[in-house]
Amino acid sequence: MALRPATATVQEDNDRVRVTEWHLPPGSETGAHVHEMDYVIVPVAAGTLTIYDDTAGQVESPLTVGQSYFRRAGVSHNVTNQGESDIRFIEIELKPERAT
């Protein structure tokens, strides 16, 4: 089954953070990508993501509204919604501090 692209809306992008709202309707995906920065995920709509990870293979990842989690840079995966309801989350990427 071919998946359609998820929608990413950048809400803030400055020298410290990039904040993106991700909307994954049923049958959508982020596309394979590698996280270049540490990041925090804040779910705003519950659901179960199916994640295709380069190291762990296929993993089911349930999201609970308000139950945030942190990951280090280097994660390589494709995030999909194979369920029947919309999934939304906020991704907060933490940019490295620059010397002043």
Side-chain angles (χ1 to χ4, degrees):
M1 162 173 82
L3 300 176
R4 64 182 185 268
T7 303
T9 304
V10 176
Q11 297 179 342
E12 178 73 33
D13 192 359
N14 59 45
D15 63 332
R16 298 298 308 276
V17 298
R18 181 183 306 128
V19 179
T20 305
E21 178 184 14
W22 283 93
H23 174 214
L24 286 88
S28 65
E29 66 180 344
T30 60
H33 60 282
V34 177
H35 286 268
E36 297 177 2
M37 295 176 267
D38 292 349
Y39 65 100
V40 175
I41 297 296
V42 182
V44 293
T48 298
L49 298 171
T50 302
I51 300 174
Y52 297 91
D53 186 291
D54 285 352
T55 57
Q58 181 178 329
V59 176
E60 299 296 316
S61 180
L63 296 181
T64 301
V65 173
Q67 185 70 43
S68 303
Y69 63 88
F70 169 83
R71 297 287 184 267
R72 295 258 178 221
V75 173
S76 176
H77 59 202
N78 182 21
V79 177
T80 70
N81 179 1
Q82 297 184 25
E84 297 182 11
S85 61
D86 284 9
I87 296 175
R88 292 180 185 269
F89 58 87
I90 303 296
E91 174 185 73
I92 304 165
E93 297 173 284
L94 307 171
K95 296 181 179 181
E97 289 192 49
R98 297 178 189 216
T100 58

